[in-house]
């Protein structure tokens, strides 16, 4: 197993600890800072494992599978908690989930046609803005006015990047006439 894959596994293992800290933070307020620390470290491992995989030629099929899955699990675990706490409306979470499933499906179809759809700039902006917004929300989720700002910072780049992926790769979905 490569170093990059081991770092990705650490990120996956951090998710339950992050969730436990965040879920217990209303009772033990200091835990929100532990949750924030775990979320930041887990988020940073995404950049570290990617750098190591590319820089040291450790790209593997296992890593290609697990890395994006770990990212989605981390982000969606936080959003599910905020949804449970009625801070994030279910429709906003559904937009994020629908985009992730749709883009993953598009990539699978592309692979079947011998094409790889790399992460675009808007997808990277979406990931960064979502992670920063979630960090802010972890600490300041009791500021009601901030909830809508965070939701917009998450949902707007998510919608934009999802639409962009489909526009730029629409040929993948075109049916061949037989």
């Amino acid at each position: 197993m490569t170093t990059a894959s081991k770092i990705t596994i650490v990120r996956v293992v951090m998710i339950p600890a992050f969730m436990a800290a965040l879920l217990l933070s209303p009772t033990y307020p200091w835990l929100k800072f532990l949750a924030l620390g775990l979320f930041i470290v887990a988020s940073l491992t995404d950049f570290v494992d990617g750098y190591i995989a590319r820089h040291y030629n450790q790209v593997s099929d296992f890593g290609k599978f697990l890395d994006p899955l770990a990212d989605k699990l981390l982000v969606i675990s936080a959003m599910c908690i905020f949804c449970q706490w009625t801070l994030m409306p279910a429709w906003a979470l559904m937009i994020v989930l629908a985009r992730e499933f749709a883009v993953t499906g598009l990539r699978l179809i592309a692979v079947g046609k011998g094409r790889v759809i790399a992460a675009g700039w808007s997808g990277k902006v979406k990931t960064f803005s979502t992670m920063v917004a979630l960090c802010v929300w972890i600490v300041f989720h009791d500021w009601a006015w901030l909830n809508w700002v965070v939701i917009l910072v998450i949902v707007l780049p998510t919608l934009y990047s999802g639409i962009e992926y489909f526009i730029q790769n629409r040929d993948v979905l075109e049916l061949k006439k037989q």
Side-chain angles (χ1 to χ4, degrees):
M1 181 176 300
T2 67
T3 302
S5 292
K6 289 176 184 174
I7 293 170
T8 303
I9 289 171
V10 167
R11 181 163 68 251
V12 172
V13 170
M14 291 176 77
I15 294 169
F18 157 73
M19 290 182 74
L22 188 57
L23 284 167
L24 292 171
S25 67
T27 305
Y28 305 100
W30 62 271
L31 282 176
K32 72 179 171 184
F33 298 106
L34 176 60
L36 176 64
L38 290 168
F39 188 85
I40 289 171
V41 170
S43 297
L44 291 175
T45 65
D46 180 31
F47 300 105
V48 172
D49 64 15
Y51 173 80
I52 289 172
R54 287 184 300 277
H55 188 73
Y56 295 103
N57 197 27
Q58 294 186 3
V59 175
S60 67
D61 288 339
F62 179 71
K64 288 178 189 176
F65 164 75
L66 190 60
D67 182 64
L69 179 62
D71 298 341
K72 289 166 185 45
L73 290 174
L74 176 64
V75 167
I76 290 171
S77 69
M79 290 182 190
C80 285
I81 291 170
F82 291 125
C83 199
Q84 177 180 335
W85 288 348
T86 67
L87 299 174
M88 182 173 210
W91 61 261
L93 176 59
M94 192 60 211
I95 286 172
V96 172
L97 290 171
R99 184 258 184 219
E100 296 303 334
F101 284 128
V103 169
T104 298
L106 181 66
R107 284 186 166 137
L108 288 173
I109 292 169
V111 165
K113 294 182 176 187
R115 185 162 139 200
V116 175
I117 299 175
W121 181 248
S122 66
K124 293 177 182 183
V125 169
K126 182 241 358 151
T127 299
F128 179 77
S129 63
T130 297
M131 290 187 172
V132 169
L134 290 172
C135 286
V136 169
W137 223 357
I138 289 167
V139 177
F140 301 109
H141 57 264
D142 41 348
W143 293 11
W145 66 270
L146 187 61
N147 291 343
W148 286 106
V149 173
V150 169
I151 291 165
L152 288 174
V153 167
I154 291 170
V155 169
L156 293 178
T158 297
L159 283 171
Y160 179 85
S161 68
I163 291 167
E164 182 182 70
Y165 271 97
F166 277 86
I167 289 172
Q168 290 180 349
N169 300 287
R170 63 186 171 275
D171 60 303
V172 170
L173 297 175
E174 291 177 3
L175 300 174
K176 291 183 181 179
K177 293 181 183 179
Q178 299 191 7

